[in-house]
């Protein structure tokens, strides 16, 4: 993973499960018809796990799919902080090379030994990224900070 200003973490992930059963339940129960929860593992950093809710009507994914994942604090290519407003005149954006983009808020950070779990809500669609604290702990990543999730299939 190259150090790019404004990028918290990026890697290729593989989907290992879709709408996994929660412990103690006998059958899978989806809460929303158009949303699925995906369990994924990183390809280049095998100790990283991702659980993410995706609107599958907009962006279909299945078990076995691989996708490029980027968690970034800004869409600006130069890493400069952006505004909270959409700018249609922006010449080029980090989002241009991705298919599915969400904007959300960090609502929880759990550090346990050498592992850090980052929880982000994208308007009710949730994500948890768990991995090495040394690779995830960045100044831009703190409680209530705004982050972008960017995905494209590989």
């Amino acid at each position: 993973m190259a150090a790019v200003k404004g990028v918290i973490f990026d890697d290729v992930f593989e989907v290992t499960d879709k709408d996994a059963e929660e412990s103690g339940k006998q059958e899978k129960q989806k809460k929303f018809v158009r949303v699925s929860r995906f369990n994924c593992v990183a390809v280049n950093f095998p100790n990283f796990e991702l659980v993410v809710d995706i609107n599958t009507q907009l962006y279909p994914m299945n078990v076995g799919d691989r996708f490029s994942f980027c968690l970034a604090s800004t869409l600006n290519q130069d890493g400069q902080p952006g505004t909270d407003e959409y700018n249609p005149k922006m010449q080029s954006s980090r989002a241009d090379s991705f298919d599915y983009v969400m904007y959300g808020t960090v609502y929880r950070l759990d550090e346990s030994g050498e592992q850090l779990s980052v929880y982000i809500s994208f308007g009710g669609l949730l994500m948890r990224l768990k991995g090495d604290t040394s690779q995830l702990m960045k100044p831009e990543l703190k409680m209530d900070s705004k982050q972008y999730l960017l995905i494209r299939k590989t």
Side-chain angles (χ1 to χ4, degrees), residues 58-112:
L58 296 175
Y59 197 72
M61 288 195 349
N62 294 297
V63 173
D65 285 354
R66 285 188 172 202
F67 60 91
S68 293
F69 168 91
C70 179
L71 184 63
S73 59
T74 181
L75 291 179
N76 294 329
Q77 298 282 18
D78 61 4
Q80 293 298 315
T83 65
D84 286 341
E85 299 174 1
Y86 173 68
N87 181 0
K89 295 180 182 178
M90 183 184 288
Q91 295 298 323
S92 147
S93 158
R94 187 170 278 132
D96 293 343
S97 59
F98 290 89
D99 303 320
Y100 187 79
V101 179
M102 294 192 292
Y103 181 67
T105 304
V106 175
Y107 69 91
R108 184 171 158 193
L109 294 169
D110 283 343
E111 194 170 355
S112 175

Side-chain angles (χ1 to χ4, degrees), residues 19-37:
D19 297 321
E21 296 179 34
E22 294 181 28
S23 59
K25 291 189 177 179
Q26 296 298 318
E27 60 186 62
K28 295 182 181 185
Q29 295 180 354
K30 285 184 64 164
K31 298 214 185 271
F32 303 102
V33 175
R34 297 178 181 143
V35 176
S36 287
R37 180 160 289 172

Side-chain angles (χ1 to χ4, degrees), residues 5-6 17 32 43 45 83 87 93 97 102 130 135 140 154:
K5 190 170 172 89
D17 205 351
F32 303 102
V43 172
F45 298 93
T83 65
N87 181 0
S93 158
S97 59
M102 294 192 292
K130 181 179 178 183
Q135 292 175 310
E140 306 96 337
T154 56

